[in-house]
Amino acid sequence: MKIGIVNDTPMMVEVLRRVIAESGRHELIWIARDGEQAVQMCAWQLPDVVLMDLLMPKVDGAEATRRIMEATPCPILVVTSDMDTSADKIYEAMGYGALDATQTPALIGAAGKRDAAALIEKIDNLGRLSPEMVSPPVRGGRAETLAPSQPARADSLPPLVAVGASAGGPAALATLLKAIPQGFSGAMVIVQHIDAAFAPGMAQWLQQQSALKVGLAQEGQAPQRGAVLLAASNRHLVVKEGGRLGYVEGAPNDVYRPSVDVFFQSIVRHWPGKVAGLLLTGMGRDGAAGLKALRDSGAHTMAQDQKSCAVYGMPKAAVALNAAVEVLPVTGMAARLQAIIV
């Protein structure tokens, strides 16, 4: 695959260049020293994956991501050496369509080898994505053992709002949550394509946007009224028997971990209560088949419309399958939820 690097630090550029060369299966086609140059380079020669730094002169990585996704959309992976101080910029870039974020590999030692392997794995996965790609097959894993519990009755469960999102998801989720008032009677669970290392920071960032309580989904936890839970692992989040959340292993070559399809289809199997399913902006097809399964089971389903999407891939695939009862801008979804979740 052809790779573009956007970074103004010579040492970091050399690290990334070396990791790409040592992989033996990727080609570095250009290096941009700032975001403005990156936009120009993408227009000249579009790579399969862009490795985007955040803090740069002239145009930073978040703004460069916005411009690239508007003019020449392609998979963008944020690669930063300082995740803590760059947190806001990370979520801003992901709101514009960056697909994931990771730490710049260390220079030497076991940590460097581990980080390099993780970076190459992300490049491999993102390089296989395109708006028209066929979603990988849904694969379950071995469910982890839970304490024995009685199956939940439909009348004892809160209405479940199941949300899937990918590229552009952070901004769409922030818009959605800002419009839902305290006292909302639904229990919301979100699967956002994001590395597990960034999930805690994203939950904290979303909490700043929402009147609802936002946290990370834990093994064995039950969705709660007026609360939002975010998938917190690179394993698949699922609803298990008894209506509790848990995690299962995916296959090594799964592109999406966690997968929206896996989550939605587990709801069909194990959640007997009322459900609303939302599929937001994202590249690829993950969630389309799951949303169709939700609709076929009687759930009220919504897909984000093209105009309000950063990347109209996942919702487009859902619309093509007739999986959505309604196609709405993300700004209109909160009002519909409050009307149907009572």
Side-chain angles (χ1 to χ4, degrees), residues 219-241:
E219 179 72 33
Q221 187 174 13
Q224 299 178 349
R225 294 181 187 272
V228 179
L229 295 175
L230 178 70
S233 171
N234 289 333
R235 296 181 296 163
H236 298 309
L237 179 67
V238 296
V239 174
K240 298 183 177 180
E241 232 179 298

Side-chain angles (χ1 to χ4, degrees), residues 18-51:
R18 188 173 63 195
V19 169
I20 291 168
E22 291 178 352
S23 74
R25 56 184 182 272
H26 303 304
E27 176 189 1
L28 178 60
I29 60 172
W30 51 254
I31 298 169
R33 301 298 181 180
D34 59 60
E36 184 176 337
Q37 189 179 17
V39 176
Q40 297 168 355
M41 298 296 275
C42 282
W44 167 65
Q45 189 174 10
L46 192 66
D48 296 304
V49 177
V50 173
L51 306 184

Side-chain angles (χ1 to χ4, degrees), residues 69 74 174 191 198 210 306 332 340:
M69 294 307 292
C74 66
V191 170
F198 293 90
S210 177
Q306 181 173 4
I340 65 178

Side-chain angles (χ1 to χ4, degrees), residues 185-210:
S185 61
M188 185 177 294
V189 182
I190 299 169
V191 170
Q192 162 73 47
H193 293 161
I194 187 173
D195 189 271
F198 293 90
M202 183 170 174
Q204 294 173 11
W205 182 76
L206 287 175
Q207 181 65 84
Q208 298 170 11
Q209 324 296 321
S210 177

Side-chain angles (χ1 to χ4, degrees), residues 55-120:
L55 304 179
M56 296 176 292
K58 294 185 179 178
V59 174
D60 66 24
E63 175 62 14
T65 297
R66 184 187 70 80
R67 295 186 189 181
I68 290 169
M69 294 307 292
E70 283 186 353
T72 54
C74 66
I76 295 176
L77 173 63
V78 172
V79 183
T80 176
S81 59
D82 196 343
M83 293 188 293
D84 293 333
T85 59
S86 302
D88 287 345
K89 284 294 180 184
I90 289 171
Y91 302 122
E92 184 181 353
M94 294 186 74
Y96 290 138
L99 287 164
D100 204 348
T102 192
Q103 180 83 29
T104 305
L107 290 173
I108 58 174
K113 291 181 179 179
R114 183 184 62 247
D115 293 348
L119 174 60
I120 291 300

